[in-house]
Amino acid sequence: MSFFDRYTQLGSQFAVMHSPRLANSVNPEKLNLLLWNEDVANKYAIAIDKGQAHLYLSGHTPLKNSTASALAYSGHQFGHFNPTLGDGRAHIIGSFNDNSGNTYDLQLKGSGATPFSRGGDGLCALGPAVREFVMSQAIDALGVPTTECLSVVATGDDVYRESLLPGAIVCRVASSHIRVGSFQYLALQQDKKGLQQLLDMAIERYYPEITAQGDDRLVEFLRAVCKKQVALIIHWMRVGFVHGVMNTDNTLVGGETIDYGPCAMLEGFSFEQVFSSIDRHGRYAFGQQPNIASWNCARLAESLLMLFAANEKHAVERMSDVLAEYASDFNNQYQLMWANKLGLLEWREDDASLLSELLGILKTEGLDYTNSFAALTNLTFENPLSCFEVPKELSPWLPKWRARINEYNRSQVCALMRSVNPAIIPRNALLEQVIQDYYEQGQSKLLEHWLPLLKAPYQYQEYEQCYLEFTSKSASYKTFCGT
Ligand code: AMP
Ligand code: MG
């Protein structure tokens, strides 16, 4: 297997060669491979021996033919532009091609300070590393595009947060680390050549169907990115994922979920649900996610303007037309998503009242999003499971829904609902328990039982209640960023 770098060719210090903190450190026996994702290793045919993984995936031993680097990027954080972000605690240790010739990056997170650390320690505590390991696998299994997690290595060193915590290094596999903020960075440098190269790299990786040249190429690229963002956000809304920090530097132009910092799962249904402790105004609330993704696409559009041959007014008009398509594209797919969740093969105008009545009851009665749709799905089974029960508060609504789905073939309705409504999700309290287990024991029996279930979320089987339990405390659950 050969590794290479693909970002150092871009100018403007886009990728800065930089070694991880533990590179060739004298004390590798402290390193411990705590979590290893065999499925990811196999999927990408990553030829790193598990017995040596603690050395390579902590940054101690460099991968052959590759040089570690940290990437520069800018970004709008909570709406405010920050020109100098970048990998402050991450290193790309190499890129590789999988068996189909698609390129991926291996990136370490928590691997030490870089030129972009802005005073931060460059480290990651064990808890957030475990969170990323579990959440990224669960989100992948839910059918949502995402970066993946290969491993977590415990460093044996402490990290100073509110208290002293054990440190860890995550290894992430991503189809690229090209963010909206990457384009913003090169646009800010007025680096037209680098911007063009980055555009070509992104098109080659994600949108090879774009063959247009000149200004049309820019327009087609923006359109393709918008479509991928729409698809991603529809998935998030379908499964109840609240990302929590949808800054432009956390938005990949390939449309994959990245950065599992303050994310959490919606339990009690509410479009206003916010978990992140720093999101005081609900900018990234569950129901805000579609608008924010659109806003982020607009920031990408701005960054591309300088590449237009046409004058700025004309360029802005062309990009604005593409951005305007986002809303209608989103709304069409959003309706279809709700239709499918309800078991309807198509969306009709009068389905809006059926849906809003249901969501209204879920919200006012504080009912669980996943369990409610799973219980409806369960009603369509020949032999319903006993672990899912339709909440009594839905009784007045049920006959209306039944009348509507009776227009279709029952087995089709059942198959449809089962394919879009997960039975099991990474519930916030259970994830906290797993993290606690790792802090206290360096392992988690709970995770051993839970992870196989999370990896088959549409299986529908008799689950133990502990995996389905939703406590109303969940609404006040808080997550923390950059911890
Ligand atoms: P995030 O919220 O994880 O997307 O991080 C936002 C920015 O802060 C990125 O530029 C990170 O590299 C940087 N950052 C987060 N935590 C640390 C840390 N402990 N040390 C240095 N930089 C950090
Ligand atoms: Mg980030």
Side-chain angles (χ1 to χ4, degrees), residues 51 208 476:
S476 54

Side-chain angles (χ1 to χ4, degrees), residues 336-357:
L336 193 60
M337 174 202 101
W338 287 116
N340 293 345
K341 282 183 80 69
L342 289 169
L344 311 177
L345 274 62
E346 82 265 280
W347 176 264
R348 288 202 312 240
E349 223 150 86
D350 52 354
D351 292 328
S353 58
L354 186 70
L355 174 66
S356 63
E357 196 182 325

Side-chain angles (χ1 to χ4, degrees), residues 23-42:
N24 303 311
S25 66
V26 286
N27 216 356
E29 4 357 297
K30 287 200 308 191
L31 302 171
N32 178 18
L33 179 67
L34 214 53
L35 291 161
W36 171 253
N37 189 339
E38 188 73 26
D39 290 346
V40 163
N42 291 336

Side-chain angles (χ1 to χ4, degrees), residues 73 77 86-89 117-118 120-123 161 250 259 481:
Y73 47 85
Q77 298 180 303
D87 291 331
R89 52 164 172 169
S117 293
R118 298 172 292 143
D121 60 9
L123 304 177
R161 293 295 179 256
N250 292 334
D259 242 319
C481 217

